Amino acid sequence: MSSAATTAAAVTTSTLASGRSQDRDLRSLAFLGALWFSLFFGVAVLFALIVDTAISGAPRFDSALFTQYTQTFDPERAEALAATGRDPKDLSAAYTGFRSGIVGSIILMITTALLAIPLGVSAAVYLEEFASKTSRFSKVVEVNLQNLAAVPAVIYGMLAATLMAVVGVQRGIAIGGAVALALLILPVVIITTREALRSVPDEIRQGSLALGATVWQTTWRQTLPSAVPGISTGTILGLSRAIGEAAPLVMIGFGAINFAPEFPFVTSKIEAFPLEIFNAASDSKEVVQQAASAGIIVLLAMILGMNAVAIIIRNKFQRSW
Amino acid sequence: MSTQPATANATSEEEPLSLALSIDEEAAHSVIGDVPAESVMETFHLNVYYGGFHAVHDINLTFGKNEITALIGPSGCGKSTVLRCLNRMNDLVPGARVEGEISYHGQNIYAKGVDPIAVRQHIGMVFQKPNPFPKSIYDNIAYGPRVIGMKVDNMDDLVEEALRGAALWDEVKDKLKQSAYGLSGGQQQRLCIARTIATKPDVILMDEPCSALDPIATSKVEDLMLQLRDDYTIIVVTHNMQQAARVSDRTAFFTAKPDETTGNRTGLLVEFDRTKRLFSNPADQRTEDYISGRFG
C-alpha cells in the first residue's frame, strides 16, 4: 500500500470525529484556568479596591469636596451648628474639601508640562533627527535614558529640593514640585517622542530633503507635525503618572495649605492633591477619612480622564503610512 | 591574485568573465559608445563606499541636456547608488563615502564648500515609492518653493503650472485642498513629479518611478517623462528594460561583480551608448545576455 493510501485508510470517522478535542483535555483546561486566575487576580483586586473606596467615600461626593479647604472653620456653619447644640469643630471636619489640592495639582501639571514638553521634545528631536545613530555618545545617552525612566520618584524629589536650595528659593512652592515632576517624566516624554518620530517614514524626510529643504526645515515642517499625535499621547500619559505622585513633593516640602495660590502661581506655595489625600486619610476623624476616600476616587477619575484623552488623540490621528 | 585557488585559472574558460579578471581590469573593459555632445552632468571615476564596502567602482558617465538617460542592470549593481550621488542624497546614508568627481555644468558638486542643499535645489528627485507629504495637494506643491525661499508672485499660478506640467491638473483641480493621500498611487507619483518641478530644477532624478505602479499608471508616467524631456534633463533608474527602451535616449548598463574573498558585490559600468544601439546591437556580451533575459 502506498503511503497516501495508508493515510487515507487511517482517516476514519473514529479518528476525526471522536467527540473530544485535544485542546480541551485536562492539562489544557488546567493551564487555561491558571491563565484566567492570573488575569482576574489583578483585575479583581483593583475592582474591589475601587468599590470599597467608593462606598466609604460615598457620603462625601458633594460640591464641598471641591470648594472647601481642609477642615476650615466656617463661621456661618458654626453658627448653624451652635443652634443645634453640636460641636462646631465636627462640622468643619464634615465639610472638609480638597480645593487647595485640586487647584495646586492643576497648577503643578501645567507647570510640569511647560517644563517637560519643550525639553523632552527637543532632546528627542536631537537624538532622532540630528545625532549620528552610530556614535558612542548616542548609545550612552540611549542606555541612560532607559535607566532614568526607572529611577524612583523620591530621588528626583531630592534632586529638585537640592536644586531649589542652591537657587535659594522658598520650600514648597509650585516651581520646585514642577521641576521634580518634570525630571520624573522627562525620560518618558523623550522615549515616546523618539518613538513617534521614528514612526514617521523616512520617505517623507527624503522627499523634503530632495526638494532642497534643510534638515531643520524638514524636521520642523514635516516630521514633527506628523509626530504630534504620538508626542501628545506620550506626554499626557507621563503627566498622568506625575499627577498621582506624592513622594517627590514631600521632599520638596509641600505641606498643608488652606488658602488660594497667589499670582504668579509658579512661585506660590501650593498643596498637591495626592498629598492632601494622604494627610486626610491619616486623620483621626472618620469624616475626614471619608473625604479622603472620595478624594481618591476624584484623583482616579482625573487620571483615567487624562489617559482617555491620550487614547482618543491616538485613535483619532492614527495614520497608516 | 595569490589568494585565488590554483584551479581558478584552469577553469577560466568556463567561468564568467567577472571571476577571471580583477575589478580594475574589468572596469577597463567598459564600452563607452556615443556620448552626448552637450552634457549637463558628468561623473569622473566615481567610487562609492559604505563603510568598508565598495559599492560602486569607477563610473564614468555623461548625461546629455534634455535627454533621458536610463540606468539599468541587475539588483545590487549600484545604479541607485550612482543616482543618489548625483544630488548628494547619499550624504544622508551613515558611512557613505564618495570618491572621484561629479560635475554639474562644470562644477564638482563634491568639491569642498559645495552646499548639498543648494545642489538638491537644482537637481530634484522622484522616489520609487510615491511619497507625498501628509498635507493637501496644494501644500504638497507649495512646500518646495516655500522652503527654498523661491520668489513667487502668485502661488496659485505656480501650483497650477506644476500640476499641468505633471499632467495632473484636470484630475485634481477641484480638490486641491484635499489630502494627497486620497489620490491613487499613479496620481501620487505624478504629484511627486509636480512637486519636484514646482521648484524649477534643472535635472530630475527618478529612482524606479514606476515600480510601485500598475501598467496604466506606468504608461502615464512614461508619457509624462517624454513630455518633461523638452524642459529638463532626466536620469532614470529602472528595473524594467522595456521601459528603458521606450523612454530613454541613452542607456547605461551596470553589472555587479562579487568580491573573491568577501562576496560583497561591487557595481561597475559595462556599457553606455544610445539606447537604440545598446538594445539592438550591444557591444558587450554581458549586455546582450542581460537584455535578452539570460541573467539578472
Side-chain angles (χ1 to χ4, degrees):
Chain A
M1 225 193 299
S2 73
S3 66
T6 318
T7 313
V11 178
T12 62
T13 321
S14 62
T15 56
L16 283 183
S18 61
R20 293 179 296 126
S21 164
Q22 291 173 45
D23 252 351
R24 288 281 177 275
D25 65 7
L26 199 64
R27 275 172 54 137
S28 306
L29 287 176
F31 188 55
L32 201 64
L35 293 181
W36 277 92
F37 175 77
S38 310
L39 174 66
F40 276 100
F41 186 72
V43 174
V45 168
L46 182 68
F47 188 73
L49 256 174
I50 292 176
V51 169
D52 181 54
T53 313
I55 290 171
S56 61
R60 284 311 318 277
F61 289 113
D62 49 30
S63 62
L65 197 66
F66 303 93
T67 55
Q68 296 293 314
Y69 292 110
T70 320
Q71 301 195 47
T72 37
F73 186 77
D74 185 343
E76 269 181 46
R77 289 226 176 76
E79 217 168 284
L81 195 73
T84 61
R86 280 165 65 194
D87 183 358
K89 283 224 172 83
D90 279 352
L91 189 72
S92 63
Y95 276 84
T96 192
F98 296 117
R99 180 171 170 175
S100 60
I102 292 172
V103 171
S105 276
I106 290 171
I107 293 171
L108 209 49
M109 281 309 101
I110 293 171
T111 320
T112 304
L114 288 178
L115 285 174
I117 294 173
L119 280 176
V121 171
S122 312
V125 162
Y126 173 75
L127 288 173
E128 275 307 302
E129 307 292 324
F130 292 89
S132 154
K133 298 251 164 28
T134 48
S135 76
R136 182 169 302 199
F137 171 73
S138 297
K139 281 176 192 157
V140 170
V141 170
E142 180 95 44
V143 172
N144 271 310
L145 276 177
Q146 304 287 350
N147 288 337
L148 277 180
V151 169
V154 186
I155 310 287
Y156 288 113
M158 285 170 70
L159 182 64
T162 314
L163 209 70
M164 290 299 113
V166 168
V167 176
V169 293
Q170 218 181 348
R171 278 170 64 78
I173 60 169
I175 186 73
V179 167
L181 295 181
L183 286 172
L184 175 71
I185 68 166
L186 204 53
V188 179
V189 174
I190 293 175
I191 289 167
T192 49
T193 303
R194 289 185 71 181
E195 267 158 27
L197 290 170
R198 232 174 279 161
S199 75
V200 178
D202 251 352
E203 282 92 32
I204 299 293
R205 294 184 185 84
Q206 298 205 343
S208 172
L209 292 169
L211 286 170
T214 60
V215 176
W216 172 242
Q217 285 170 325
T218 302
T219 304
W220 190 244
R221 294 176 165 223
Q222 299 290 355
T223 322
L224 259 185
S226 303
V228 161
I231 295 171
S232 35
T233 309
T235 311
I236 294 172
L237 290 178
L239 285 173
S240 77
R241 180 188 165 191
I243 198 173
E245 283 290 347
L249 303 178
V250 175
M251 301 299 299
I252 283 291
F254 273 44
I257 277 161
N258 279 348
F259 50 83
E262 292 154 20
F263 189 85
F265 303 122
V266 285
T267 53
S268 175
K269 276 201 172 235
I270 56 164
E271 179 156 24
F273 198 12
L275 269 181
E276 201 168 29
I277 291 172
F278 175 75
N279 290 335
S282 39
D283 197 281
S284 56
K285 297 187 202 66
E286 202 182 326
V287 279
V288 181
Q289 290 170 16
Q290 266 180 11
S293 298
I296 288 170
I297 298 296
V298 172
L299 181 61
L300 266 179
M302 285 167 80
I303 292 172
L304 287 180
M306 286 168 80
N307 290 359
V309 168
I311 291 168
I312 289 167
I313 290 177
R314 194 181 62 202
N315 290 350
K316 191 168 155 84
F317 295 99
Q318 206 162 41
R319 200 197 308 274
S320 53
W321 297 96
Chain B
M1 288 311 240
S2 58
T3 55
Q4 220 177 333
T7 51
N9 282 333
T11 57
S12 64
E13 273 181 14
E14 288 85 33
E15 291 290 313
L17 183 66
S18 55
L19 280 181
L21 297 173
S22 79
I23 196 153
D24 284 310
E25 288 168 323
E26 201 166 321
H29 272 84
S30 298
V31 181
I32 306 294
D34 190 20
V35 171
E38 196 181 354
S39 81
V40 172
M41 296 194 81
E42 279 174 90
T43 70
F44 299 103
H45 303 292
L46 178 69
N47 281 278
V48 186
Y49 302 84
Y50 294 120
F53 164 54
H54 192 182
V56 169
H57 180 80
D58 204 42
I59 306 289
N60 294 287
L61 279 173
T62 308
F63 303 105
K65 189 171 162 55
N66 293 359
E67 281 189 2
I68 299 177
T69 308
L71 312 182
I72 63 168
S75 300
C77 69
K79 52 196 190 300
S80 282
T81 296
V82 170
L83 190 80
R84 297 170 81 85
C85 286
L86 294 175
N87 69 345
R88 296 196 58 171
M89 284 299 277
N90 248 7
D91 292 17
L92 307 172
V93 182
R97 186 161 54 86
V98 173
E99 282 175 8
E101 207 175 285
I102 295 178
S103 91
Y104 169 65
H105 290 296
Q107 283 218 50
N108 181 9
I109 61 169
Y110 278 93
K112 261 208 180 99
V114 170
D115 179 10
I117 309 288
V119 169
R120 292 181 202 134
Q121 290 173 4
H122 289 100
I123 305 169
M125 188 160 195
V126 176
F127 296 84
Q128 186 169 359
K129 200 178 137 211
N131 59 346
F133 301 130
K135 295 169 180 285
S136 71
I137 293 168
Y138 185 98
D139 286 337
N140 259 278
I141 307 287
Y143 176 77
R146 278 180 190 148
V147 293
I148 68 171
M150 229 167 94
K151 286 211 169 24
V152 181
D153 295 331
N154 188 336
M155 188 58 87
D156 293 357
D157 291 345
L158 181 74
V159 169
E160 179 175 345
E161 190 190 323
L163 286 168
R164 281 189 193 282
L168 193 59
W169 174 252
D170 291 331
E171 292 160 60
V172 302
K173 64 182 173 200
D174 299 322
K175 45 180 181 182
L176 292 176
K177 296 290 170 198
Q178 289 175 26
S179 166
Y181 280 54
L183 298 175
S184 72
Q187 288 174 325
Q188 287 187 5
Q189 192 62 303
R190 277 181 286 146
L191 179 69
C192 290
I193 295 173
R195 180 174 83 185
T196 305
I197 61 180
T199 59
K200 308 206 186 299
D202 187 16
V203 181
I204 302 175
L205 309 177
M206 298 187 176
D207 190 359
E208 299 186 34
C210 301
S211 64
L213 305 183
D214 63 61
I216 294 169
T218 299
S219 86
K220 279 188 181 164
V221 171
E222 286 179 7
D223 289 345
L224 178 59
M225 286 164 74
L226 291 170
Q227 218 175 304
L228 291 171
R229 180 174 55 179
D230 297 339
D231 300 310
Y232 305 95
T233 298
I234 298 174
I235 302 163
V236 56
V237 163
T238 176
H239 253 117
N240 181 335
M241 278 180 287
Q242 285 76 31
Q243 181 171 64
R246 278 192 300 264
V247 300
S248 71
D249 300 289
R250 275 171 230 273
T251 299
F253 170 65
F254 292 73
T255 193
K257 179 183 161 66
D259 188 276
E260 284 145 19
T261 48
T262 62
N264 287 334
R265 289 147 65 88
T266 301
L268 53 103
L269 179 66
V270 174
E271 189 165 355
F272 175 55
D273 209 336
R274 284 193 177 278
T275 299
K276 275 205 186 100
R277 194 181 303 165
L278 189 128
F279 275 90
S280 62
N281 188 18
D284 193 288
Q285 183 63 37
R286 286 167 294 174
T287 315
E288 188 171 345
D289 288 350
Y290 184 72
I291 60 177
S292 57
R294 247 171 275 167
F295 88 101

